Each structure stands twice: as C-alpha cells, then as structure tokens.
C-alpha cells in the first residue's frame, strides 16, 4: 500500500514537472515569436527586421501556376524558368497609356509595372529617359541571341562570336526579360562621362538610382553586385517588385539574390514605419501543390514563387503603408 502510494506520488510529481516544462516551453515559444526581431536596417522613415510575428489569419493555398505569375522570380543560368511555364500577363505600354510613359513602341509590361511607371513620371517626367526593352517571349530571346551572334560573326571567328553572344545575351529561359516586370532604360541628354557607373551619368539616371524604390522598382544588376548576380552588362536594367520588397532591398542594400537568401534563412521579414505600421514578407518552401501563406484580415497579399524552390508573400496593410 505504502509502495503504491509512493509510486502514485512519484507519477503525479513527474506529471507536474512535465507540465511545468511544457508550459515553459510554450511560453518561451510565444515570447520568441513576439520579441525575436533582429534589426537589419533603418532609414529615416522605416526599419527592416529579420523575423517578427505575422498577425493571425486564415491559411491560403496558392497553386504553382498562380505563384509563377508573381513578382519575385529569380531567373538566371543557374535558375532557368521551368519548361512550358505559361507566359506572365503583360500589356503594351503605348496601347495602355500612350506616351505618358516614355516607352518605345513594342514594350510590354505588367499592368502593375505600368501603373507604377505612371506614378513615377507624375513626380518626375523623366524627359531624358526612354524605356526600350520590356517582356520577351522565349522565341524572341532565342532570336536576340542569334542576331547578336551574327553581328559578332562579322568581325570575329565563329567560336569567339558564339562565346560572346552567349556571354552577352542569356539563352531562352535564362533571361529576366521573359518576366513581365523588367525593362531597360536608355538615358539621353547631357552625360557626365567622369562617372564610371553608366546610370549616374545623367540627371534622370541619378534620380532613378535614388528614388525608384519608392515606386516599387529596383535596379536589378548594380555594378557592385556583379559577383553575386553574374550579370555585368545590364547596368540600366530595372524591375518592378512592389514597394514592400523594393523598400527592403533599398534599406539593406541587398540585390534580389541576397534578399531571397535572407528570406530562406529567416522565414519572415518585417518592415515598420515610424508610426508603428507594419508590413511583412513571408517565405516558405514550395511543394508539388504550390505553397500556403497566412493571410491576416486587413492585409493585401502578393504571393510569388522565387524559382529557387521557395515562395514568398508580401503583406501590405489595406489602410496603406506610407514610407
Ligand atoms: Zn535588361
């Protein structure tokens, strides 16, 4: 009897210890989620943190086709687009907004990118700038590489011409220009040739360098990042990613590859304005059926595959996120 009593007491005690341990564990977890944010960068108007707790909401599943229409695909020789990927949706800039945006005749871009360009030229008409290249089909990309090869062939042997063409123009499926948010600019007007960085040679170029992020654009291949991007000859290439992603990349100085790497490692990145308004970026691994994200009420979600096995989703407060 005494032994039974002692055993029962031991059992009760061990249960209590287990509950205490479990309780501490959960409390610890909750606390970690709410406080474990690491400051990555700070500007005058907002801060960027690794981690953070996304407000609760329902889980929404997006399929792969939907995610491949997104704005965060990394496309390169190392990460080519999947075969047979449906083309992203795009519209001819001139047909949509005439010459309100200074674009050449056959430039096509996503509606969001065109609207963002409109907002940008409303603040600065960019009269010394010309948007030259937008979205290309896989066939147009192949043709461009072939034409480049033929041009080189006029002045050098076949093997050398081939090597140069492959270096200068990515093969079909390996160029960002197959996405609907990328374009190159041609800068006209007075040039300051003392600048080694081609973008900084004109007034418009310098303005773009400073301000494009506020409208959701990033300079995709900055000269100081060529070792990471592997792209040297696209210094005047811009890409629309949306204001949340552009703001993170602006504050941290990350190029797309560095940003995606940070998202893979952290899972969540939080932006916070001086007034305490928050936007979030979630990142999860994709599986065969796509990816699921938490979607809190009062937030707009922009999900996208990253073409590296993950998917990301920017959450912007519906009430606005002024930075
Ligand atoms: Zn380009």
């Amino acid at each position: 009897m005494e032994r039974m009593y002692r055993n029962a007491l031991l059992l009760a005690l061990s249960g209590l210890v287990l509950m205490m341990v479990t309780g501490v564990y959960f409390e610890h977890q909750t606390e970690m989620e709410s406080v474990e944010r690491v400051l990555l960068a700070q500007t005058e108007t907002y801060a960027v943190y690794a981690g953070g707790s996304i407000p609760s909401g329902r889980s929404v599943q997006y399929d792969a086709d939907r995610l491949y229409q997104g704005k965060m695909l990394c496309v390169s020789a190392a990460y080519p687009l999947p075969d047979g990927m449906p083309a992203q949706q795009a519209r001819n800039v001139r047909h949509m907004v005439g010459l309100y945006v200074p674009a050449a005749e056959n430039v096509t871009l996503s509606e969001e990118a065109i609207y963002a360009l409109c907002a940008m030229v409303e603040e600065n008409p960019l009269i010394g700038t010309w948007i030259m290249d937008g979205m290309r089909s896989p066939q147009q990309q192949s043709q461009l590489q072939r034409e480049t090869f033929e041009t080189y062939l006029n002045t050098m042997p076949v093997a050398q011409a081939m090597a140069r063409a492959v270096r200068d123009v990515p093969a079909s499926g390996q160029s960002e220009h197959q996405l609907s948010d990328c374009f190159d600019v041609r800068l006209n007007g007075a040039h300051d040739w003392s600048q080694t960085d081609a973008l900084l040679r004109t007034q418009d170029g310098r303005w773009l360098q400073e301000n494009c992020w506020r409208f959701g654009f990033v300079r995709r291949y900055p000269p100081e990042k060529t070792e990471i991007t592997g792209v040297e000859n696209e210094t005047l290439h811009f890409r629309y990613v949306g204001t949340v992603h552009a703001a993170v990349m602006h504050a941290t100085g990350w190029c797309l590859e560095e940003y995606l790497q940070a998202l893979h490692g952290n899972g969540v990145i939080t932006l916070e304005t001086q007034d305490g308004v928050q936007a979030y970026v979630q990142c999860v691994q994709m599986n065969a059926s796509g990816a699921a994200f938490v979607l809190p009420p009062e937030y707009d979600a922009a999900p996208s595959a990253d073409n590296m096995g993950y998917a990301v989703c920017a959450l912007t407060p519906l009430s606005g996120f002024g930075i």
Side-chain angles (χ1 to χ4, degrees), residues 136 177 183-184 234 237:
R136 295 182 200 126
H177 280 284
F183 57 89
D184 302 326
E234 282 267 46
H237 176 109

Side-chain angles (χ1 to χ4, degrees), residues 133 136 175-177 182-184 221 233-234 236-238:
D133 296 285
R136 295 182 200 126
S175 168
E176 264 205 359
H177 280 284
C182 304
F183 57 89
D184 302 326
Y221 305 110
N233 61 347
E234 282 267 46
L236 300 179
H237 176 109
F238 287 83

Side-chain angles (χ1 to χ4, degrees), residues 120-135:
M120 196 154 76
V121 297
E122 197 176 321
E123 185 172 312
N124 181 346
L126 296 172
I127 48 170
T129 308
W130 206 238
I131 293 167
M132 297 300 294
D133 296 285
M135 189 179 184

Side-chain angles (χ1 to χ4, degrees), residues 6-7 82 85 124 133 154 215 283 313:
R6 202 172 58 226
N7 282 349
M85 183 192 118
N124 181 346
D133 296 285
N154 293 329
F215 302 92
C283 178
C313 183

